[in-house]
Amino acid sequence: MTDGTGAAAARGDAHGTPGSGDTPEERFASLMRQPRRAALISGALVPVAVAVNLFLLDDTSGALIGVAVVASVVCVLAVWNVVNFSPTAVARLEDASTRGGGRFTLWKEGTGGHTGVPFAYGAEHQRFGVLDHVVHGLPVEIGHLASQVSARHTAPTGRRHAYVVVRLPQRLPHMIVSFGHLSRVLGVRVVPDQWHRSQRVDVGGGRRFRLFVGDGGEQLARSFLSPDVVRCFQRVGRHYDIEIEGRDLYLFGSRSAAAGTGRRWNAQRELIEDLAATVSGSGVWEIVRRRRAGRGGGRAALRADVGRAVALVFGAAAVIVAVLSLVVLKAAGLLD
């Protein structure tokens, strides 16, 4: 005979989580509540701050204006996560596993060995709504990643990433194809691509096709990125940034692959299937086998251009502070 805790632990193990006192369903529900709570609180705070400024105070309060602006941003970001990482999107992935084969897992602790940028940075990584299946002979994982900025700092809106992982036949050099999805908030770029410009490689993909390759892997990257692969990556780049690390090809986006309409979800599935077919049919795998790159060739890491990133972030922060200061001064009547 087992107690309730043992039963819950057994249910957690069955869903791919370590033994614990709460079930995957409870953890998922708690995760969903975080951005909803942030949206409700910040959404209520905006009209309150505006009303107090307009009707209760003789002079406009700059502090309340700042509160309203920050609350508006938090509300919009929280609503974005509520809509684009919803139980409906997770249910679509579960339905896909029953209809088309594969395995669905509601909750997975940790990174699962993944090393792409969102998995490598931050803290308290947890995956939810994960579909594992095989496409054109390649294992594919479609899921969602929740994490925190650090062990001490929690994002009130919930930090979320949509991801797809395609397991490659052989190891390739570290590459990132950035289309700006991971460095944009509400369509505005707030953090620059921080990969060092000396590692950028031109393969004819156009201005938005920003390819960075680890030192020593340029030749193999050019062999892999044939015109067919580049065209495929360009289509994928409308929705995701792309990273290749070892034998894993990652797609990272700010919106679940299963979010939105049913038509969008079908289009996302077709996109992933097309990517798997194009990658599996690449002629680079024979080149990799001949060079024995799978034993460690071309594994140099990308270098981050931290100085440039910090300078641009602080520059953007200074502009925001200056604009808010002008708004406050104008509202207070100190500027003509």
Side-chain angles (χ1 to χ4, degrees):
M1 185 175 181
T2 60
D3 58 16
T5 303
R11 289 193 297 270
D13 291 340
H15 284 75
T17 62
S20 62
D22 53 347
T23 66
E25 289 78 9
E26 291 169 340
R27 295 184 180 187
F28 176 66
S30 176
L31 188 74
M32 292 295 101
R33 281 195 296 269
Q34 181 185 359
R36 290 174 183 169
R37 187 182 298 115
L40 288 173
I41 295 174
S42 58
L45 192 58
V46 173
V48 170
V50 172
V52 170
N53 244 335
L54 292 177
F55 303 112
L56 298 182
L57 298 180
D58 294 332
D59 297 322
T60 302
S61 170
L64 283 179
I65 292 176
V67 168
V69 170
V70 172
S72 299
V73 173
V74 170
C75 182
V76 172
L77 294 178
V79 170
W80 176 269
N81 280 336
V82 169
V83 172
N84 292 297
F85 295 90
S86 66
T88 301
V90 171
R92 279 180 177 160
L93 291 172
E94 184 174 15
D95 182 66
S97 69
T98 58
R99 291 176 179 269
R103 179 169 56 89
F104 174 82
T105 310
L106 180 61
W107 189 270
K108 289 188 176 184
E109 292 284 351
T111 64
H114 298 318
T115 57
V117 170
F119 292 97
Y121 296 94
E124 301 178 17
H125 295 87
Q126 299 160 336
R127 291 167 293 154
F128 62 97
V130 180
L131 171 64
D132 292 285
H133 62 307
V134 177
V135 181
H136 294 285
L138 301 180
V140 176
E141 178 178 317
I142 305 174
H144 314 91
L145 175 67
S147 63
Q148 298 298 344
V149 178
S150 69
R152 295 183 178 181
H153 298 89
T154 300
T157 60
R159 198 177 186 216
R160 309 282 187 267
H161 288 99
Y163 73 89
V164 179
V165 185
V166 180
R167 187 68 171 174
L168 301 175
Q170 297 288 333
R171 186 183 297 276
L172 287 176
H174 190 191
M175 304 180 224
I176 288 181
V177 185
S178 174
F179 294 92
H181 296 288
L182 291 184
S183 57
R184 290 180 185 271
V185 176
L186 306 179
V188 179
R189 175 163 292 184
V190 294
V191 178
D193 296 313
Q194 63 176 353
W195 313 111
H196 206 281
R197 285 170 287 181
S198 65
Q199 293 183 306
R200 187 171 178 181
V201 177
D202 183 10
V203 291
R207 184 176 180 181
R208 293 191 66 243
F209 197 101
R210 296 169 55 83
L211 169 66
F212 301 87
V213 183
D215 293 334
E218 296 86 355
Q219 185 176 355
L220 198 57
R222 292 182 185 278
S223 298
F224 171 62
L225 290 163
S226 64
D228 287 342
V229 174
V230 168
R231 284 192 292 270
C232 179
F233 277 17
Q234 287 173 324
R235 293 192 296 273
V236 171
R238 297 170 187 169
H239 308 277
Y240 305 98
D241 284 338
I242 304 169
E243 180 175 3
I244 297 176
E245 173 73 10
R247 287 188 60 184
D248 290 327
L249 185 154
Y250 299 93
L251 308 182
F252 295 118
S254 59
R255 190 181 187 191
S256 170
T261 64
R263 182 178 179 181
R264 178 185 181 274
W265 166 226
N266 291 331
Q268 292 290 302
R269 295 175 66 178
E270 292 176 1
L271 183 68
I272 294 169
E273 290 174 2
D274 181 45
L275 172 67
T278 302
V279 168
S280 64
S282 173
V284 76
W285 308 122
E286 185 58 35
I287 299 175
V288 174
R289 292 187 187 98
R290 290 200 304 265
R291 296 183 181 182
R292 297 190 176 183
R295 296 186 179 180
R299 295 183 62 184
L302 288 169
R303 297 192 309 274
D305 194 352
V306 178
R308 177 170 175 261
V310 170
L312 289 178
V313 168
F314 276 96
V319 171
I320 293 172
V321 171
V323 171
L324 289 176
S325 300
L326 289 174
V327 170
V328 172
L329 292 173
K330 182 70 173 180
L334 299 179
L335 291 179
D336 294 331

